Amino acid sequence: MFSISESFKFLDSDLINWKLVLGLLSTGKYVFDTYLKYRQYEVLQQKSIPASIKAEIDPNDFEKSTDYNIAKLKLSVFNNTYYLFQRLFTIRTNIFYSLWQTTGLLMSRAIPFLPQFMKGTITHSLFFYTTISLISEIIDLPFSYYREFVVEEKFGFNKQTIGLWLRDHIVGFALNTVIVNGVLSGLLKVFEIYGESFIVYATGFLFAVSLAFFSLSPFIGRLFHKYTPLQDENLKHQIENLASKLNFPKTNIFVIDGSSRSSHSNAYFVGLPWYKEIVIFDTLIEKQTTEGVVAVLGHELGHWKLNHIPKLMLIQLLDFTQIFGLFGVFINNKSLYSSFGFTESQPAIVGLVLYWIIKEPISSATRFVTNIFSRKFECQADEFAKNLGYQDDLSKSLLKLHISSSSVTSTVWLYSAYYNGHPLLSERLSGLGYISKEKISRETKSKPLKED
Ligand SMILES: [Zn+2]
C-alpha cells in the first residue's frame, strides 16, 4: 500500500539540519513579506491618486488614507520583525522540549486528581498547546494595544474603550482555547487511531468542524455584538423586496453595534439551509443612503445566489486535504523531532507545531490561489448587483466605504495579489462601469443622482 512517510523516507535523515531548515524558511518568508511591504511603501510614498478614481476622490481624503496605510504598514513590519526574532529564538533553543517536560511534570502532579480519560498524552498535548497560546496572547497584547489605541485612534477609527478591548481579548482567548482544545483533541485522537491513514479522516473531521462553526456563526456573533432588529421601516421594506425578488427565504434583519468597536462598516448574511439572517453594521446605515445600503446587500445576496459559499467550502476541503496530506510526510519523521530534543517520544502535537513552520511557504502560495478565487467571486457579486440595477448606488457605496475607512490607495500588484481578497476599488468601479458624476468625500452623504 502507498505510504506517504515511506515515500518521503529520505527526509527522515540525521544529515538534515532541521533547525537550519526551519530558520531559513522563517527568514525567507519574512524577507518575502517585508519586500512586498517595502514595495507597497514606496508606492504609498508617491501619494499620487490612481488615474481611474482621480475624479471621485478628494485629495485630502486620499492623503489621510495614504498616511493611515503607511502607519499600518510600518507597524506590521515592526511586528513581523519582532516575531521573526522570537521564532528564531524558539528554533535555536529547545524551548518546545523544555515546555513539554515542564507541562508533563505539572501534569504528573495533577494526575491523581484527574479522571481516567484525562491521564494520557492527549491531555498533556492540550496543556502544552494552551501554554504556548497563552504566552503568545500575552506577548501580542502590547501590539494589539498599540494598533487600536495609537494607530486606529490617531486616524479616528478606534471607538472602543480599554475595558471593552480587554474583555474582547479575554472572551476571545477563552473561546479560542475551548474551541482549539476541542478540535485538537479530536485530531490527536484521529492520528492515534488511524496511524498512517489519518489523512482522509483528519480532513473529514476538520471539515465537519468547520461546517459546525459555520452553522454556529449566528451564536458566536452574539458573544461579541449586540443585535437589534432593524427599525428603519423604509430600509427594511426595500431589503425585504430585494430578498423576495431573489427568492432569498424569509429572513430576520439585524443591526449590530459595530460602532462600539470601530467606525469601519460592513454588512453580511448568514445563509444556512435552515436559518437565514441579514446583519448590517450600524456604521453602514449611518454613513450610507438607504439606496446605498440596499445596493451593498444586492452584492451580498449575489454571493448567496451564485453559490459562492458552497464553492468556498469546496476550496477549503481541498486546502485541508493538502494540509494533512503534507503532514503525512512529517508526522513520523524522527530526525525532525530529535533535532528539537524529542529523542525518546514523538508527540504528534509537537510534529504539528513544527510542521506549521515548515509549510509556511506553501501557505503563502495557497494564499495567492485563494485570493484569485475570492476576487473572482467579488467581481461576480458586483456584476450580479449591477444586473439588478444597482450599478450607480453600489459604485457610490463602495467609494464612500473605501473613503471613510481610508482604504483608497495605490497598490503594487504583487502586494495586492498577496494581501487582498477583494479587488481594488478602481477595478471594482471599472467592473461596474461606473461613470463619475460627482466628487465623493467623507463629509458628503451622497444622495441618489437626479436623472438628467
Ligand atoms: Zn462580497
Side-chain angles (χ1 to χ4, degrees):
M1 207 187 120
F2 173 76
S3 150
I4 287 198
S5 48
E6 278 303 312
S7 315
F8 288 88
K9 196 91 188 128
F10 65 95
L11 285 176
D12 188 358
S13 154
D14 291 336
L15 294 173
I16 299 176
N17 184 342
W18 283 109
K19 282 190 186 242
L20 184 65
V21 171
L22 268 70
L24 285 175
L25 287 173
S26 299
T27 311
K29 166 103 174 24
Y30 170 81
V31 169
F32 177 68
D33 283 357
T34 312
Y35 166 73
L36 289 187
K37 284 175 181 158
Y38 178 70
R39 290 284 311 278
Q40 176 66 7
Y41 175 73
E42 280 185 328
V43 170
L44 288 176
Q45 280 288 328
Q46 293 168 8
K47 302 200 173 183
S48 55
I49 307 181
S52 53
I53 46 172
K54 206 161 192 157
E56 287 85 3
I57 308 282
D58 185 308
N60 290 329
D61 288 340
F62 188 76
E63 171 106 20
K64 181 187 166 187
S65 188
T66 304
D67 291 343
Y68 174 57
N69 282 284
I70 289 179
K72 284 205 300 184
L73 212 52
K74 282 181 177 167
L75 179 62
S76 85
V77 172
F78 179 78
N79 280 3
N80 285 354
T81 310
Y82 168 77
Y83 286 121
L84 176 69
F85 281 110
Q86 182 184 305
R87 167 73 64 80
L88 294 178
F89 173 77
T90 53
I91 292 173
R92 184 77 184 81
T93 57
N94 279 349
I95 202 158
F96 289 137
Y97 184 69
S98 314
L99 203 60
W100 180 257
Q101 294 297 99
T102 313
T103 47
L105 196 70
L106 288 171
M107 211 183 103
S108 67
R109 302 245 170 91
I111 271 194
F113 311 102
L114 293 178
Q116 193 55 39
F117 75 96
M118 281 177 72
K119 291 185 177 177
T121 314
I122 291 186
T123 310
H124 184 188
S125 304
L126 299 183
F127 188 24
F128 169 79
Y129 187 80
T130 306
T131 312
I132 293 180
S133 60
L134 181 63
I135 296 170
S136 319
E137 178 74 19
I138 293 169
I139 290 174
D140 191 48
L141 273 181
F143 293 118
S144 163
Y145 178 87
Y146 190 84
R147 192 163 49 239
E148 291 302 325
F149 295 99
V150 179
V151 177
E152 296 284 312
E153 182 79 37
K154 184 179 167 200
F155 291 90
F157 292 122
N158 176 43
K159 298 291 175 231
Q160 61 186 339
T161 58
I162 293 186
L164 191 60
W165 168 80
L166 209 55
R167 177 213 170 262
D168 280 359
H169 269 279
I170 295 168
V171 174
F173 180 75
L175 190 68
N176 201 44
T177 304
V178 171
I179 293 168
V180 172
N181 277 311
V183 175
L184 265 182
S185 58
L187 270 183
L188 294 170
K189 199 82 201 159
V190 169
F191 297 152
E192 206 174 274
I193 298 173
Y194 296 102
E196 281 275 285
S197 51
F198 75 88
I199 296 165
V200 177
Y201 298 96
T203 304
F205 172 73
L206 205 56
F207 189 62
V209 169
S210 70
L211 286 184
F213 273 105
F214 183 66
S215 313
L216 288 173
S217 59
F219 299 102
I220 298 171
R222 281 166 175 79
L223 292 174
F224 292 93
H225 286 289
K226 201 168 141 254
Y227 284 56
T228 343
L230 176 63
Q231 302 294 331
D232 184 334
E233 284 302 322
N234 177 29
L235 177 58
K236 193 172 161 192
H237 183 69
Q238 291 202 38
I239 295 172
E240 280 168 351
N241 274 351
L242 168 68
S244 77
K245 189 157 87 181
L246 301 178
N247 295 324
F248 189 74
K250 179 133 184 55
T251 177
N252 297 311
I253 309 169
F254 293 102
V255 178
I256 60 167
D257 59 340
S259 57
S260 65
R261 265 82 170 172
S262 156
S263 58
H264 294 301
S265 54
N266 205 352
Y268 63 92
F269 71 95
V270 175
L272 300 165
W274 60 90
Y275 178 74
K276 310 258 187 281
E277 71 182 20
I278 289 175
V279 180
I280 310 169
F281 279 50
D282 53 357
T283 36
L284 187 74
I285 296 178
E286 207 176 278
K287 282 176 196 154
Q288 301 280 357
T289 56
T290 304
E291 291 76 8
V293 178
V294 178
V296 169
L297 287 169
H299 166 101
E300 289 303 319
L301 294 187
H303 284 307
W304 170 76
K305 197 75 179 174
L306 299 166
N307 291 320
H308 287 162
I309 295 171
K311 287 175 189 165
L312 285 170
M313 283 178 166
L314 183 67
I315 294 173
Q316 190 171 54
L317 185 63
L318 292 174
D319 196 29
F320 288 160
T321 313
Q322 169 263 121
I323 289 172
F324 288 116
L326 202 59
F327 185 42
V329 176
F330 296 98
I331 189 171
N332 293 322
N333 187 325
K334 287 200 168 61
S335 70
L336 175 65
Y337 289 90
S338 64
S339 303
F340 289 86
F342 293 85
T343 42
E344 288 119 44
S345 66
Q346 287 86 35
I349 185 75
V350 174
L352 206 52
V353 169
L354 297 175
Y355 165 65
W356 221 250
I357 300 175
I358 296 175
K359 80 176 267 297
E360 268 180 348
I362 296 161
S363 312
S364 298
T366 345
R367 188 166 167 169
F368 278 113
V369 178
T370 48
N371 278 347
I372 291 174
F373 282 103
S374 110
R375 283 147 166 264
K376 190 171 167 229
F377 291 163
E378 291 308 320
C379 291
Q380 287 174 348
D382 279 349
E383 184 72 24
F384 184 83
K386 181 181 169 182
N387 293 336
L388 287 173
Y390 296 124
Q391 178 182 21
D392 230 43
D393 289 324
L394 183 60
S395 303
K396 278 192 231 150
S397 257
L398 288 174
L399 269 162
K400 187 86 186 146
L401 276 173
H402 280 76
I403 294 169
S404 66
S405 62
S406 284
S407 50
V408 191
T409 55
S410 315
T411 314
V412 178
W413 78 267
L414 190 61
Y415 177 89
S416 177
Y418 187 64
Y419 285 104
N420 297 335
H422 279 62
L424 296 178
L425 174 65
S426 46
E427 291 164 347
R428 292 184 72 177
L429 290 179
S430 73
L432 281 164
Y434 175 67
I435 296 155
S436 158
K437 291 175 193 164
E438 61 173 327
K439 217 174 198 75
I440 296 188
S441 89
R442 67 178 64 246
E443 280 80 25
T444 50
K445 177 138 180 160
S446 56
K447 292 177 198 71
L449 278 178
K450 288 183 206 82
E451 295 300 328
D452 48 16

